[in-house]
Amino acid sequence: MDTQKRLHENISALADGELADSERELALAALDTAEGQAAWRAYHLTGDVLRDQASGALSDGFGASLAARLAAEPAYVPAAPERAADPAEPDPAESPADVILP
C-alpha cells in the first residue's frame, strides 16, 4: 500500500478515535507536516458536514460574486446531434418541408 495513503488512513482513523495504539506514533508524526495537518482539517470538516454541524456562513459578498461570475460565463448552446450519413436516407435539409400523401 502507498505510504501516503496509509498515513491518510491513519489520520482519518485517529480523527474518528479508531486508530490502533500501534499506529498512533506514526499518525502523530504525520500531523507535524503541512500535508498531515491539512488532512486532519479535511477529515474533521468532512465529519462535521456528515453530522450536519458545519458552519454554513458564507463570506460577505459571496452571493454577489458568484452571480457576477455566472453572468460572465458564456451561454450554453447544445451541439446539434450528428447524424450518420446513410446514402439511402434523404437529408432532411434537402427534403421538401410539406409532403402531400395520396
Side-chain angles (χ1 to χ4, degrees):
M1 178 183 285
D2 181 356
T3 304
Q4 288 301 103
K5 183 177 179 180
R6 178 67 183 250
L7 287 175
H8 279 258
E9 288 177 356
N10 285 348
I11 292 170
S12 176
L14 180 64
D16 292 339
E18 298 178 1
L19 185 65
D21 289 339
S22 62
E23 302 287 336
R24 187 161 306 198
E25 187 176 338
L26 186 60
L28 292 175
L31 291 176
D32 284 336
T33 67
E35 183 179 348
Q37 292 170 10
W40 178 260
R41 286 189 300 275
Y43 291 128
H44 275 281
L45 179 59
T46 300
D48 289 346
V49 169
L50 291 172
R51 289 183 299 276
D52 198 24
Q53 297 173 345
S55 157
L58 300 174
S59 62
D60 292 337
F62 176 82
S65 174
L66 178 61
R69 291 181 78 175
L70 289 174
E73 288 289 319
Y76 173 73
V77 180
E82 292 193 28
R83 290 180 17 139
D86 183 358
E89 187 177 317
D91 185 352
E94 297 174 3
S95 299
D98 296 319
V99 177
I100 302 173
L101 298 174

